[in-house]
Amino acid sequence: TALQHPNIVRMIGSGSSDGIVYLAMEYLNGDDLSWKLKLQGVLTLDETRDILTSLCLALDYAHEKGFVHRDIKPSNVMLRQSRDGETLEAVLMDFGVAKVREAQTAITGTGGIGTIGYMAPEQIMAAKEVDNRADIYALGVMAYEMLTGELPFKGSPAQVMFAHLQQPPPDPRDVNDDLSSPVAHAILRALAKQPDDRFSSAGEFAAALG
């Protein structure tokens, strides 16, 4: 409820009824990004930029408020037409595993929390210690997937986990040779193993995509 941004799903209220706890959220008319990827396979660079630009606005706002989402993935991104009807904009959902800066909660723990295909190396090792750069890593995974139609690391959960921790990220141009060097380098920087080697903000990543 502390997050009031046009690209973050709005929480209206919460409560309980007959022993059932509920959350009331705004209704979003659209489909999630995972559904678009299933239908379309690969997104154009313009579509990817439109979606990531609005998503990065939401994340920079959340990060400034002290939240790290920790579960950035296509199924947590709703898509709807912008007000001009010409582009798609993203609405970020599901802060269910978000980390609040300085918060100490029993639910956070010390192990990995999130979705393994999109988790930063440091999030796999110790989810309690992550900052906004873990979300930027997940954005890099999503950008790679949107522009190539596949995840950068594939295999069993154990293989994917090892790849996030140890293997260098693959160049997206090996799958989509239409991508320019600046776009590929931006994605590879977002996927850097060390947080200090990534972009310092989501907006910086969006700007690097052109």
Side-chain angles (χ1 to χ4, degrees):
T1 57
L3 299 177
Q4 299 293 323
H5 190 277
N7 299 109
I8 295 176
V9 65
R10 186 163 53 91
M11 185 71 66
I12 297 170
S14 62
S16 62
S17 177
D18 297 327
I20 298 175
V21 179
Y22 65 85
L23 300 174
M25 306 166 74
E26 74 171 305
Y27 173 73
L28 297 174
N29 185 16
D31 294 314
D32 65 41
L33 178 56
S34 64
W35 180 249
K36 183 174 180 63
L37 286 169
K38 287 177 183 177
L39 290 178
Q40 196 168 322
V42 178
L43 275 56
T44 67
L45 183 56
D46 285 343
E47 288 176 315
T48 300
R49 284 171 173 157
D50 288 341
I51 293 168
L52 287 179
T53 294
S54 51
L55 187 58
C56 287
L57 288 172
L59 276 174
D60 278 346
Y61 171 83
H63 293 158
E64 289 172 3
K65 295 290 186 180
F67 290 86
V68 182
H69 190 284
R70 298 195 302 179
D71 200 19
I72 302 296
K73 58 184 178 182
S75 60
N76 281 341
V77 177
M78 284 290 291
L79 301 178
R80 64 184 176 191
Q81 291 292 327
S82 61
R83 291 184 178 181
D84 61 18
E86 296 182 359
T87 61
L88 286 174
E89 64 178 10
V91 180
L92 183 59
M93 305 186 300
D94 196 354
F95 279 75
V97 298
K99 174 182 181 291
V100 184
R101 187 174 55 225
E102 307 303 334
Q104 301 293 326
T105 62
I107 200 171
T108 300
T110 57
I113 295 174
T115 302
I116 189 62
Y118 302 86
M119 286 172 66
E122 69 274 17
Q123 188 173 346
I124 294 172
M125 298 298 293
K128 190 174 181 179
E129 307 302 323
V130 302
D131 60 19
N132 66 303
R133 293 168 296 181
D135 285 345
I136 292 169
Y137 184 94
L139 283 177
V141 175
M142 274 187 28
Y144 185 103
E145 182 179 13
M146 293 160 73
L147 292 170
T148 67
E150 59 186 56
L151 289 168
F153 302 119
K154 298 176 288 292
S156 69
Q159 290 171 323
V160 172
M161 184 180 298
F162 176 83
H164 281 304
L165 292 171
Q166 300 292 339
Q167 292 180 6
D171 192 320
R173 290 171 295 182
D174 293 340
V175 183
N176 183 351
D177 56 13
D178 289 333
L179 296 178
S180 67
S181 292
V183 169
H185 291 158
I187 293 172
L188 292 172
R189 182 177 172 187
L191 291 173
K193 300 298 182 191
Q194 297 299 322
D196 287 344
D197 294 333
R198 299 177 204 144
F199 297 99
S200 61
S201 71
E204 189 181 354
F205 175 44
L209 291 173

